[in-house]
Amino acid sequence: MAAERLVVIGGDAAGMSAASQARRLKGPDALEIVAFERGHFTSYSACGIPYWVGGDVEARDDLIARTPEEHRERDIDLRMRTEVTELDVAGQRVKALDRESGETYWTGFDKLVIATGARPVRPALPGMDAAGVHGVQTLDDGQALLDALDALRSEGPRRAVVVGAGYIGVEMAEAMLKRGFEVTVLNRGEQPMATLDADMGRLVHEAMDGLGITTVNGAAVTKILTGPDGRVTEVATDAGTYPADVVVLGIGVEPETGLARDAGLPVGPHGGLLTDLAMRVVGHDNIWAGGDCVEVLDLVAGRTRHIALGTHANKHGQVIGSNIGGGYGTFPGVVGTAVSKVCDLEIARTGLREKDARAVGLRYVTATIESTQRAGYYPGAKPMTVKMIAELRTGRLLGVQIVGREGSAKRVDVAAVALTAGMTVEQMTALDLGYAPPFSPVWDPVLVAARKTVAAVRGAGS
Amino acid sequence: MAAERLVVIGGDAAGMSAASQARRLKGPDALEIVAFERGHFTSYSACGIPYWVGGDVEARDDLIARTPEEHRERDIDLRMRTEVTELDVAGQRVKALDRESGETYWTGFDKLVIATGARPVRPALPGMDAAGVHGVQTLDDGQALLDALDALRSEGPRRAVVVGAGYIGVEMAEAMLKRGFEVTVLNRGEQPMATLDADMGRLVHEAMDGLGITTVNGAAVTKILTGPDGRVTEVATDAGTYPADVVVLGIGVEPETGLARDAGLPVGPHGGLLTDLAMRVVGHDNIWAGGDCVEVLDLVAGRTRHIALGTHANKHGQVIGSNIGGGYGTFPGVVGTAVSKVCDLEIARTGLREKDARAVGLRYVTATIESTQRAGYYPGAKPMTVKMIAELRTGRLLGVQIVGREGSAKRVDVAAVALTAGMTVEQMTALDLGYAPPFSPVWDPVLVAARKTVAAVRGAGS
């Protein structure tokens, strides 16, 4: 019998990374690891689902980084299709429900990792559960959508309505376009990609128009209409009604923290668990949490946010596993970097938008420039727009947004590092970024934006 | 008559950027600007010449950012085909030779910018001036090579020998391959791309093999052999003799500072002018220098280097012009970032190589990882190798080298910013870099390298 038992709730990125890293540092004699996963899969890339649906990725299993069997080979007692339904913090135990057998049982823990992830936001509107309405958060969701698309193949009209114009929405718009659908994106907000300022979102809107995707802004869904067979026929919004053979919901997620809340664990303003830098749940030395169910510190805004993103979940798991395994790691926070694409349009952001800056009391200036991702004379040079936000007076970088074509999005990483380092835009103008004609104009677009932002900081006076 | 006169020696990136920026800040009444250029062109992209020769860029004029006429429209008294042959520092005047008329004259200055650039290294070997041997530093060089290639078009064998396997060498190897030549690269060193460590250079070598480019290492050219018509026939090295219908010299450049040396201005260990942070020549408040004729401070090594690169030259010009125009700017130094490609192989580096670290007394650890530039399951995912070097004990990042396929090279910018900020590899493991399957695995390759380097720092003990 092992010296102590680690229980992990949730078998995806954060949970299984934590389990694997703890196992790497401590053998089965020192640490027993029991992991519960309520679904059919472990350690898969939810971010890859749009590309699987769109046909870029052939098989579902391509998205699975590690199967249950592979985890078990690493001496992790993984219990699939088993949901933790109750957490007894004081008693250091969890109650599990085996979904296959219906059996329930308690399991004690010395250490606990909560990695319950996020659940899709599904507004309680009429028709939301109709046949032909699909979420795309899990592999099961993706399979259900693909099956539905196959069934539609032989039929006549092929109209897809995507609800939501954030990352999942625009990626699913691309996927449905690739599947040969006429695609309409219904966007509640002013412009698509609300994670950008509206002036940059407008560029995304225009580019989506150019790709043949219709985006309707200011269109909040009020009802899903169905035919006599119970299948979706139209989507009604406060801005009009849109015919639909299939509806894809891409309206974001929220932390899955019901279990933790019921157990009295602390959640933040966005509904996510609150942790310290070592990813321990605040006030609980033997309980860790990570992935889509926690709030993370936004290093630029100085307060917590909820960001559901696989790359953070993996880092959390790594940190948690290191600490549980007797090593040391921290997750200092995020600067809010995100990249995405719709067909050949690339979209990136990091740091604060204008409204984020205002919300935390920062005064700022902005500058927007147009350049190209390669030297203008080099084949494939295409437009790239960079918006930069800097603090008034100090000139400290606050955020960057990029909309462009191939080779644009990952340049946001330069700004992500600069934000982490607390650089001013003046310091950024001297950055030694890689230059050669196939890769950049002689002034890298990020440097051009920094120079223009410097001028804005100066021009704004003190 | 203007209040004062600025004289600029050299009409390319640094010189004309300085002139243009000074003009932006001060009108002709306040500042007269006289610029001397001994060649036929101003403000052109020498870095673009390989792509023009290779056919990616159609016309020579595509490489010209600003013509003499455009500069003159901005009230710059630009004198083309006019070489400054003497600099009288005490007398504040320069002697100019009009290469068309043969006339010489003195011109006085209140402020002087030296931007004389670099000259190609041409070893004094027999046959080096034979017909069919071409440098590729200037537009005139490029035109001469293209004319020679046209003349060869109708003839039988088409064998190109490229001497040198640095940036220019590998870029010219690609260009000659695209022109339909059988290409042999003769490399004096252990592996191509001596700006990388040899272990990474070996990857470039293997990839060049795969592209059909023969690279011969350890092959120092001893003689160019010519036929009865005086044209090149073979290139002799200490490692063998190679048939050649055309020879391209890509063996680097050195600062063109004869004029400045003769005038007693200070040059550094690499033959470049020494400047302060405002780009003033050390000891001379009214003389500035920038571009390929100066040495720059290597912020990682803590000493000067010579780097001929358009992006630095443009920054220098901007800084010089701002200071002369009554504004303020500094060039704090470089971290040594460079990116390049051969066909679809991308090569990047920043910071110190192992031997650079040793040369300045730093002890270090290294780690090398293989990953992919996109999520492994995403179409077009291809190998990407990252080598990272960190200081012993402190774990401070010292350098990064990358060899990979499309989408690899510009990731070095992340390391360039981290070097500038003095980050440790431990800090780098938490960087919030953009993640989505088309752009990166869930652990960005730079983060994977940082994690492995952290382990190496720890493993090396104190």
Side-chain angles (χ1 to χ4, degrees):
Chain A
M1 194 167 151
E4 57 179 10
R5 183 188 291 151
L6 165 65
V7 164
V8 176
I9 310 176
D12 205 349
M16 297 319 289
S17 289
S20 302
Q21 175 67 1
R23 175 55 76 228
R24 226 168 272 135
L25 299 177
K26 274 195 179 168
D29 292 344
L31 186 72
E32 180 189 357
I33 305 179
V34 179
F36 296 100
E37 165 55 44
R38 67 180 177 186
H40 295 91
F41 306 99
T42 51
S43 305
Y44 66 91
S45 171
C47 322
I49 292 173
Y51 308 103
W52 170 39
V53 172
D56 284 323
V57 176
E58 266 183 44
R60 184 191 67 194
D61 288 357
D62 292 344
L63 300 183
I64 298 175
R66 204 169 275 180
T67 63
E69 291 65 37
E70 290 171 312
H71 286 299
R72 291 191 185 112
E73 281 163 16
R74 285 167 173 79
D75 288 312
I76 294 168
D77 177 2
L78 175 62
R79 305 187 188 175
M80 297 299 296
R81 299 280 291 143
T82 306
E83 184 168 5
V84 172
T85 55
E86 201 176 331
L87 163 57
D88 173 3
V89 170
Q92 296 200 181
R93 57 181 194 155
V94 298
K95 187 176 183 182
L97 162 67
D98 183 327
R99 286 180 150 195
E100 304 284 351
S101 68
E103 181 200 357
T104 64
Y105 56 92
W106 287 94
T107 300
F109 63 81
D110 299 291
K111 290 171 175 168
L112 177 70
V113 174
I114 302 174
T116 43
R119 60 168 175 266
V121 175
R122 283 218 182 192
L125 295 173
M128 201 52 100
D129 293 322
V133 179
H134 294 268
V136 283
Q137 210 221 354
T138 65
L139 289 183
D140 287 334
D141 290 342
Q143 191 63 61
L145 175 55
L146 278 169
D147 292 346
L149 298 186
D150 280 345
L152 280 172
R153 192 161 291 172
S154 53
E155 298 176 25
R158 293 168 61 79
R159 291 161 306 193
V161 166
V162 176
V163 180
Y167 293 105
I168 306 171
V170 302
E171 288 166 5
M172 285 310 302
E174 171 181 343
M176 299 308 287
L177 199 67
K178 284 192 167 161
R179 287 281 170 188
F181 280 74
E182 198 178 290
V183 181
T184 301
V185 177
L186 300 180
N187 172 35
R188 212 168 42 175
E190 185 185 345
Q191 290 292 350
M193 295 306 294
T195 51
L196 307 180
D197 287 321
D199 52 350
M200 296 295 282
R202 188 178 49 76
L203 301 182
V204 176
H205 189 168
E206 289 166 7
M208 286 172 72
D209 280 349
L211 294 167
I213 297 167
T214 303
T215 309
V216 186
N217 293 324
V221 173
T222 52
K223 192 177 183 180
I224 309 273
L225 304 169
T226 51
D229 59 354
R231 287 193 53 80
V232 59
T233 54
E234 287 180 312
V235 180
T237 74
D238 47 14
T241 296
Y242 301 87
D245 301 302
V246 61
V247 174
V248 179
L249 302 175
I251 35 185
V253 296
E254 55 195 15
E256 179 75 274
T257 47
L259 181 75
R261 280 168 190 264
D262 289 347
L265 297 182
V267 295
H270 309 285
L273 280 160
L274 296 177
T275 73
D276 63 14
L277 292 171
M279 301 307 295
R280 292 180 306 190
V281 172
V282 169
H284 297 268
D285 284 354
N286 64 337
I287 304 180
W288 284 258
D292 294 358
C293 68
V294 303
E295 298 191 6
V296 290
L297 178 61
D298 181 323
L299 296 166
V300 191
R303 61 188 195 184
T304 62
R305 296 176 55 184
H306 177 245
I307 302 176
L309 199 57
T311 189
H312 298 329
N314 273 281
K315 287 200 189 89
H316 293 166
Q318 181 75 18
V319 166
I320 292 169
S322 294
N323 290 326
I324 290 176
Y328 173 61
T330 65
F331 184 82
V334 303
V335 294
T337 312
V339 293
S340 188
K341 75 176 196 72
V342 200
C343 301
D344 71 337
L345 182 77
E346 298 189 0
I347 306 159
R349 54 144 288 143
T350 190
L352 307 184
R353 294 165 298 182
E354 293 192 45
K355 72 173 176 184
D356 301 322
R358 286 195 297 270
V360 293
L362 290 168
R363 287 181 62 191
Y364 60 87
V365 297
T366 75
T368 302
I369 64 99
E370 281 188 40
S371 180
T372 52
Q373 87 289 34
R374 303 175 183 180
Y377 57 78
Y378 193 85
K382 288 184 180 163
M384 169 173 167
T385 304
V386 182
K387 176 174 181 172
M388 195 170 274
I389 305 178
E391 191 183 13
L392 199 67
R393 299 194 192 181
T394 69
R396 182 168 58 99
L397 179 69
L398 294 179
V400 166
Q401 297 164 39
I402 296 173
V403 175
R405 305 286 163 165
E406 179 261 313
S408 296
K410 275 292 266 180
R411 319 211 34 155
V412 82
D413 285 349
V414 165
V417 186
L419 281 170
T420 306
M423 283 188 184
T424 66
V425 286
E426 182 91 37
Q427 288 173 313
M428 289 179 74
T429 62
L431 284 173
D432 185 3
L433 304 182
Y435 162 63
F439 301 105
S440 175
V442 72
W443 287 100
D444 188 284
V446 172
L447 300 183
V448 177
R451 284 171 60 187
K452 192 167 176 188
T453 313
V454 164
V457 172
R458 286 187 195 151
S462 56
Chain B
M1 192 165 150
E4 57 179 9
R5 182 189 291 151
L6 164 65
V7 164
V8 176
I9 310 175
D12 205 349
M16 297 319 290
S17 290
S20 302
Q21 176 66 2
R23 175 55 77 229
R24 227 167 271 136
L25 299 177
K26 274 195 179 166
D29 291 344
L31 185 71
E32 180 189 356
I33 305 180
V34 180
F36 296 99
E37 166 55 43
R38 66 181 177 185
H40 295 91
F41 306 99
T42 51
S43 306
Y44 67 89
S45 171
C47 323
I49 292 174
Y51 309 103
W52 171 39
V53 172
D56 285 323
V57 176
E58 267 184 42
R60 184 191 67 196
D61 289 357
D62 291 345
L63 300 182
I64 298 175
R66 203 170 275 179
T67 62
E69 292 65 37
E70 289 172 312
H71 286 299
R72 290 191 186 113
E73 282 163 15
R74 284 166 173 80
D75 288 312
I76 294 169
D77 177 1
L78 175 61
R79 304 185 190 177
M80 297 301 293
R81 298 281 290 141
T82 305
E83 183 168 5
V84 172
T85 56
E86 203 177 328
L87 162 57
D88 174 3
V89 170
Q92 297 201 180
R93 58 182 193 153
V94 298
K95 188 178 183 182
L97 163 67
D98 182 326
R99 286 179 151 196
E100 303 284 351
S101 68
E103 183 200 355
T104 64
Y105 56 92
W106 286 94
T107 299
F109 64 80
D110 299 292
K111 289 171 176 168
L112 177 69
V113 173
I114 302 175
T116 43
R119 60 168 175 266
V121 174
R122 281 218 182 192
L125 295 172
M128 202 52 102
D129 294 321
V133 179
H134 294 268
V136 284
Q137 210 221 354
T138 65
L139 289 183
D140 287 334
D141 290 343
Q143 191 62 62
L145 175 55
L146 279 169
D147 292 346
L149 298 185
D150 280 343
L152 280 172
R153 192 161 291 172
S154 53
E155 299 176 25
R158 293 166 62 78
R159 291 161 306 193
V161 167
V162 176
V163 180
Y167 293 105
I168 305 170
V170 302
E171 287 165 5
M172 285 310 302
E174 170 181 344
M176 299 308 287
L177 198 68
K178 285 191 167 163
R179 287 282 171 188
F181 280 74
E182 199 178 289
V183 182
T184 302
V185 176
L186 301 179
N187 171 35
R188 214 168 40 176
E190 185 185 345
Q191 290 292 350
M193 296 305 296
T195 51
L196 307 180
D197 287 320
D199 53 349
M200 295 295 282
R202 188 178 49 75
L203 301 182
V204 176
H205 189 169
E206 289 166 6
M208 286 172 72
D209 281 349
L211 294 166
I213 297 168
T214 303
T215 308
V216 186
N217 294 324
V221 173
T222 53
K223 193 177 182 179
I224 309 275
L225 303 170
T226 52
D229 59 354
R231 287 192 54 81
V232 60
T233 54
E234 288 180 312
V235 180
T237 75
D238 48 13
T241 297
Y242 301 87
D245 301 302
V246 62
V247 174
V248 178
L249 302 175
I251 33 184
V253 297
E254 56 195 14
E256 179 75 273
T257 48
L259 181 75
R261 280 168 192 264
D262 290 346
L265 297 181
V267 296
H270 308 284
L273 280 161
L274 295 177
T275 72
D276 63 14
L277 292 171
M279 300 307 294
R280 291 179 308 189
V281 172
V282 168
H284 297 269
D285 284 355
N286 64 336
I287 305 180
W288 284 259
D292 295 358
C293 68
V294 304
E295 298 190 5
V296 290
L297 179 61
D298 181 324
L299 296 166
V300 189
R303 60 188 196 184
T304 62
R305 297 176 55 184
H306 177 245
I307 302 175
L309 199 57
T311 188
H312 299 328
N314 273 282
K315 287 200 189 91
H316 294 166
Q318 181 76 16
V319 166
I320 293 169
S322 294
N323 290 325
I324 290 176
Y328 173 62
T330 65
F331 183 82
V334 304
V335 292
T337 312
V339 294
S340 188
K341 77 178 194 70
V342 199
C343 301
D344 71 337
L345 181 77
E346 298 190 359
I347 306 159
R349 54 145 288 142
T350 190
L352 307 184
R353 293 164 300 181
E354 293 193 44
K355 71 173 176 184
D356 300 323
R358 286 194 298 269
V360 294
L362 291 168
R363 287 181 62 191
Y364 60 87
V365 297
T366 75
T368 302
I369 63 99
E370 281 187 40
S371 180
T372 51
Q373 86 291 32
R374 304 175 182 178
Y377 57 77
Y378 193 86
K382 288 186 180 161
M384 171 174 167
T385 305
V386 182
K387 176 173 181 173
M388 195 169 275
I389 305 178
E391 192 183 13
L392 199 68
R393 299 194 191 185
T394 69
R396 183 169 58 100
L397 179 69
L398 295 178
V400 166
Q401 297 164 38
I402 297 172
V403 174
R405 304 285 164 166
E406 179 262 313
S408 297
K410 275 293 265 179
R411 305 211 188 210
V412 81
D413 286 349
V414 165
V417 185
L419 281 170
T420 305
M423 282 187 184
T424 66
V425 287
E426 183 91 37
Q427 288 174 312
M428 288 180 75
T429 62
L431 284 173
D432 185 4
L433 304 182
Y435 162 62
F439 300 106
S440 176
V442 71
W443 285 101
D444 188 284
V446 172
L447 300 183
V448 178
R451 282 173 60 188
K452 191 167 177 190
T453 313
V454 163
V457 171
R458 286 186 195 152
S462 55

